[in-house]
Amino acid sequence: MNSSDLLSVYDVFTPSMPAREAFVEREALNDRLIDAIRTPGKQLIIYGHSGSGKTTLIERKLFEVYEHHITVSCVKGMTFEQVVLDAFDQLDAFLLVGGSVQQSASWNAQISTLWAQVSAAKMAMVEARSERVLPPQLTVQNLARLVGAAKACWVLEDFHKLDPEEKEKLAQAMKMFMDTARNYPAIKAVAVGAVGTAREVVAYDQEMRNRVAEIEVPLMSDAEISGIITAGAKKLRITFEKPVRESIVKFSNGIPAICHQLCLSACLSAGVGVTQSSPREIRKPSLESAVREFVESASDSIRDRFDRAIRRERVRKYDNYSIVLRAVCEAPLEGATIGELSSIIARIEPDYPVNNIGRYLESLMTDGRGAVLRKDQASGKYFHSDPFIRSYSQAFFRDAMSTSGSSEKHSAVAIEDVIREIERMLEQGSFKPKVRSL
Ligand SMILES: Nc1ncnc2c1ncn2[C@@H]1O[C@H](COP(=O)(O)OP(=O)(O)O)[C@@H](O)[C@H]1O
Ligand SMILES: [Mg+2]
């Protein structure tokens, strides 16, 4: 084996970084994505669940076509002006490096004049310590001109985290970019956000609709998840025992980050730190330890999501969210329709008025309620967004029911109980709500 083929397991399985070594192509998305990237003047909105693979895809596809990019990651509370300043800051680096901008001499002269203005304005902004006011030269037009001259594209990650007012300005900025594209055909802005936010941003400006490609990055199909395992195993010269592979696919439930995490932990537990010199097989005990580790390290966030799901804003006659969530727990693994859930509720809480449960179900799919549920549009079934949240919920309700007969008691669920639920679930067969794929 060549020493350059020797990879660390951390480079292969990357639960918190864009995938490189264990990358699987998203065939269903590639054509549309490449088309949109190559079409002059076409701006992009890429959206999907957190962890569905947006950043990874951009890194692979967009950056293959574009030599340069500036990426601004939006965080909550950021003003649009800060976003723009951050973009100018990043342009700084490669415009000054030189060589990257292959333009005529007069272009270069224009750009350096503009750049001198921008630098001065940036200083002024820093000195004024204002987060709201941009100096006159730091306009979106000038940003667009610089981005265009540098043949770069502007990537805005997680734009959904901005407040509505800032988002509206963002929509205007994208329009500006498109207008500038007449002079700089390569100019491109890409906004990356959460599910449901694409339409929101485009809706701010009717005119934009035709000039924007909206591309959804759905959760992965089981075959794609399986592809990650195969790709990673090949790089490390290992194999995953069939039941181990199947369990990982099942637990991942369409979320590639979970797949990477379980593979990584299972490898580490089996003592696989780098590409093996002779083939090795990853067996069940390594997976069990990986699952335990996953639950332990994720328990805070799982608990947090669950707490948000059943939080009561005010005391009502019924603890609506708990009742609805408990019904989903009693439903089969692949979920249940509103009608089926109504019958389950009629059994556990006979007097409960079921006509509102649709509203609570929808709400449980939003971030505000921990995004604990998902819905399969085709079958109309609601199901837990991942097997870990299901196991946690089940352990919680089992616990609450056995101690006080109601879900009023609200203490954290022991990790042991969650793991016991997971084992039970594994024995039951498949957790396979059909994740929609393109
Ligand atoms: N095409 C892919 N092939 C393999 N792994 C992927 C792929 N896309 C994403 N991943 C993995 O999934 C996780 C989330 O990916 P990321 O691109 O950060 O998602 P998002 O930006 O949508 O939140 C990471 O662990 C990443 O390594
Ligand atoms: Mg991302």
Side-chain angles (χ1 to χ4, degrees), residues 242-264:
K242 194 158 174 263
V244 170
R245 167 191 288 272
E246 286 168 357
S247 296
I248 295 177
V249 171
K250 180 157 129 185
F251 277 131
S252 304
N253 207 36
I255 304 169
I258 294 183
C259 175
H260 280 272
Q261 183 63 62
L262 290 177
C263 289
L264 175 64

Side-chain angles (χ1 to χ4, degrees), residues 277-389:
S277 47
S278 58
R280 275 280 295 280
E281 188 174 56
I282 307 293
R283 303 218 170 88
K284 234 171 156 187
S286 304
L287 176 70
E288 278 160 11
S289 124
V291 167
R292 170 172 296 268
E293 215 174 274
F294 185 96
V295 174
E296 276 167 6
S297 67
S299 65
D300 281 348
S301 83
I302 296 175
R303 180 179 309 139
D304 175 65
R305 284 170 62 197
F306 182 80
D307 287 351
R308 269 188 282 154
I310 63 166
R311 184 193 68 235
R312 302 180 78 164
E313 262 126 18
R314 59 203 109 123
V315 179
R316 297 175 191 269
K317 180 154 182 233
Y318 290 108
D319 193 353
N320 298 306
Y321 290 99
S322 285
I323 291 174
V324 169
L325 204 53
R326 209 184 130 200
V328 182
C329 281
E330 307 248 325
L333 291 167
E334 75 273 10
T337 61
I338 290 194
E340 288 159 354
L341 290 169
S342 301
S343 330
I344 295 174
I345 293 175
R347 204 159 21 80
I348 55 184
E349 197 82 55
D351 296 330
Y352 186 79
V354 291
N355 31 351
N356 276 334
I357 67 170
R359 216 178 76 218
Y360 300 121
L361 286 165
E362 291 297 317
S363 188
L364 286 166
M365 300 200 297
T366 63
D367 276 345
R369 288 268 168 200
V372 294
L373 295 186
R374 284 199 251 144
K375 183 186 183 181
D376 175 46
Q377 297 298 343
S379 64
K381 288 185 191 229
Y382 293 87
F383 55 90
H384 288 98
S385 31
D386 62 67
F388 299 99
I389 205 84

Side-chain angles (χ1 to χ4, degrees), residues 55-74:
T55 304
T56 299
L57 263 189
I58 290 187
E59 185 173 286
R60 291 294 278 227
K61 301 298 161 195
L62 191 65
F63 301 169
E64 270 172 18
V65 177
Y66 277 81
E67 219 174 302
H68 303 293
H69 55 90
I70 43 175
T71 300
V72 180
S73 297
C74 305

Side-chain angles (χ1 to χ4, degrees), residues 14-20 22-26 48-57 157-158 192 217 220 228 255-257 260:
T14 51
S16 40
M17 278 185 340
R20 297 199 179 125
F23 173 82
V24 296
E25 289 288 351
R26 314 285 302 264
H49 278 280
S50 160
S52 64
K54 301 179 292 296
T55 304
T56 299
L57 263 189
E157 283 256 21
D158 298 334
V192 187
V217 179
M220 287 188 167
I228 296 178
I255 304 169
H260 280 272

